Amino acid sequence: MQYLKMAYDELQAPVEKFLSEIKPDLIIFDIINYWIPNIGANLDIHTAFFSVFYAPTLVFAGPMWQYIKSNAKHTPEYFTSVHEWIPFPSTIACRRHEAVGFNEVLNAKDATGLSTGDRLVKVVEGCNFVLVKSVMEHDGDYVNLLKDLYQKPVVPIGFLPPPPQDSSTRSNSSDSIKNSNSEMFNWLDKQQPKSVVYVSFGSEYKMSIDEIHELAFGLELSELPFLWVLRKPEGIDESSLLPSGFAGRIGGRGFMCFGWISQVEVLAHAAIGGSLCHCGSSSISENLFFGHNQILMPMIIDQGISARFLVEKGLGYEVERNEDGSFTGDAVAKSMRIVMVEPEGQQLRQKTTEMSKSIFSR
């Protein structure tokens, strides 16, 4: 990642030349491109910082004066508490096992000589306004607070869920992917509506073998149908990837995918009713869009903050973790059953359906 940032930073001169030629009315840019506001100011072009993080995460990161004042010297312990600038009841904070990673991502200098926090300060102070993937009915209290913290306009632009891919897009895949996906959709077609739990942890986080085995035990113990998209860790033999006898014990109740799939296509299928995921922002948006109940297992960076927020709003149930961040199959199974079938999760299921309709029916 740090070398990608270095490559982006080398684009300053050619991008300024390009923008001076096309003369746009507005430049929308990401946190990595912290130098865009200076170019905009030089060329008299407005700039908008588009955040891939949700408003609660930006609020948790704090006002820019707080970051500058602290000189980025906070310890991980600092991120385990709700911050004093949040004036309303809130639960957004890191668990102890998450705080080290959050502190490092925000404050550690990389090969460019800057931290993510340094870039955030520059883009927030330099841009004309901020765009966030937010809906006021969902996280409006955090959006309004962010306006106060940043002292500039913050515009919620919705969750921007992508439409399901059509059959013509699917046909562009390789033969092996098409065959695998065909098997998967044939299996989904045989399942009851809203009964299957989709299990995936995104493209960035790679589970250890111990985590994979514990998750497998949890899926087995849940006695619920599931579709698990699993990326094989590097250097791991496929024969040791799953617990011995796992495939035989789950029978036709579960389906394993080891290659690429179109997540949106899967989530759009009528058989999917829940999602066990890492709380990545795109996955959250897509699950809400399709009205899927969410079992939350955050892994890295901002995912823990997103999980606390969803629980706070009654839109998710977080898998219980040990102090070191590890989890048990029993905790996974318990969470899945609460969210999907147990009376304890009825209010969550109802609220998810209502929120999906209210946000996306306009």
Side-chain angles (χ1 to χ4, degrees):
M1 180 65 74
Q2 61 182 341
Y3 301 114
L4 178 63
K5 291 176 181 177
M6 290 175 70
Y8 264 97
D9 290 347
E10 291 294 325
L11 289 172
Q12 292 182 57
V15 165
E16 182 163 15
K17 180 176 183 296
F18 172 68
L19 291 171
S20 68
E21 293 169 355
I22 66 170
K23 296 182 173 58
D25 298 307
L26 175 68
I27 308 168
I28 301 174
F29 68 102
D30 193 349
I31 187 173
I32 292 180
N33 311 114
Y34 71 93
W35 34 266
I36 286 290
N38 287 338
I39 293 177
N42 291 340
L43 300 176
D44 197 24
I45 303 170
H46 281 91
T47 59
F49 163 45
F50 171 57
S51 172
V52 297
F53 300 110
Y54 283 134
T57 299
L58 292 175
V59 165
F60 184 70
M64 296 304 95
W65 60 262
Q66 171 67 24
Y67 180 84
I68 296 169
K69 177 183 175 183
S70 71
N71 197 27
K73 290 181 179 177
H74 286 310
T75 64
E77 187 72 22
Y78 174 78
F79 296 99
T80 61
S81 302
V82 178
H83 293 318
E84 66 275 9
W85 53 78
I86 303 178
F88 46 78
S90 173
T91 60
I92 61 168
C94 293
R95 304 280 192 241
R96 290 187 183 278
H97 69 273
E98 299 165 340
V100 172
F102 191 92
N103 182 53
E104 184 175 332
V105 166
L106 188 64
N107 293 318
K109 309 283 186 183
D110 56 32
T112 68
L114 298 171
S115 67
T116 298
D118 295 332
R119 290 176 187 263
L120 183 61
V121 169
K122 292 176 183 295
V123 300
V124 170
E125 292 189 336
C127 72
N128 295 102
F129 58 95
V130 177
L131 304 173
V132 288
K133 281 178 63 175
S134 297
V135 175
M136 293 303 288
E137 296 94 326
H138 181 62
D139 55 357
D141 45 358
Y142 288 95
V143 172
N144 288 330
L145 176 55
L146 200 59
K147 295 176 184 177
D148 294 336
L149 296 180
Y150 285 177
Q151 289 295 294
K152 62 180 50 186
V154 176
V155 183
I157 57 174
F159 284 145
L160 311 180
Q165 295 179 342
D166 58 29
S167 58
S168 63
T169 306
R170 215 181 292 172
S171 66
N172 290 329
S173 304
S174 69
D175 288 341
S176 60
I177 289 175
K178 282 192 289 185
N179 292 337
S180 173
N181 286 355
S182 177
E183 261 186 79
M184 175 184 67
F185 283 109
N186 287 339
W187 180 84
L188 283 172
D189 290 341
K190 297 172 185 175
Q191 309 307 310
Q192 293 297 313
K194 301 291 284 184
S195 66
V196 177
V197 178
Y198 172 71
V199 184
S200 176
F201 288 86
S203 57
E204 286 188 77
Y205 185 74
K206 281 81 173 176
M207 282 189 161
S208 67
I209 285 295
D210 288 343
E211 288 175 322
I212 290 172
H213 283 198
E214 206 61 50
L215 180 56
F217 288 133
L219 296 176
E220 183 179 339
L221 288 170
S222 75
E223 300 182 343
L224 296 171
F226 63 87
L227 190 163
W228 186 4
V229 180
L230 176 59
R231 299 184 68 200
K232 186 174 76 70
E234 291 182 14
I236 299 298
D237 187 82
E238 285 195 19
S239 62
S240 61
L241 193 58
L242 294 168
S244 178
F246 174 73
R249 291 193 299 273
I250 63 171
R253 179 168 62 84
F255 191 94
M256 299 294 304
C257 294
F258 298 101
W260 183 90
I261 67 160
S262 168
Q263 177 166 292
V264 177
E265 277 188 76
V266 172
L267 293 178
H269 196 283
I272 303 295
S275 176
L276 171 56
C277 76
H278 58 313
C279 308
S281 59
S282 293
S283 292
I284 290 173
S285 300
E286 290 161 5
N287 283 315
L288 284 174
F289 177 68
F290 292 110
H292 297 327
N293 307 304
Q294 301 192 66
I295 305 109
L296 312 171
M297 279 186 62
M299 294 298 182
I300 54 174
I301 314 176
D302 62 318
Q303 295 168 3
I305 302 302
S306 296
R308 308 299 109 73
F309 173 73
L310 287 173
V311 172
E312 186 178 288
K313 294 297 181 180
L315 295 170
Y317 188 95
E318 189 171 354
V319 175
E320 184 179 351
R321 307 287 268 275
N322 298 319
E323 188 78 8
D324 63 356
S326 62
F327 58 89
T328 66
D330 286 327
V332 171
K334 175 186 174 183
S335 302
M336 289 175 65
R337 292 197 61 81
I338 287 174
V339 169
M340 294 298 292
V341 295
E342 300 291 351
E344 186 179 342
Q346 177 58 37
Q347 187 173 356
L348 183 153
R349 294 190 289 272
Q350 183 177 342
K351 189 160 188 179
T352 297
T353 300
E354 291 172 353
M355 179 62 74
S356 177
K357 290 179 179 177
S358 68
I359 291 177
F360 298 109
S361 63
R362 289 174 284 183

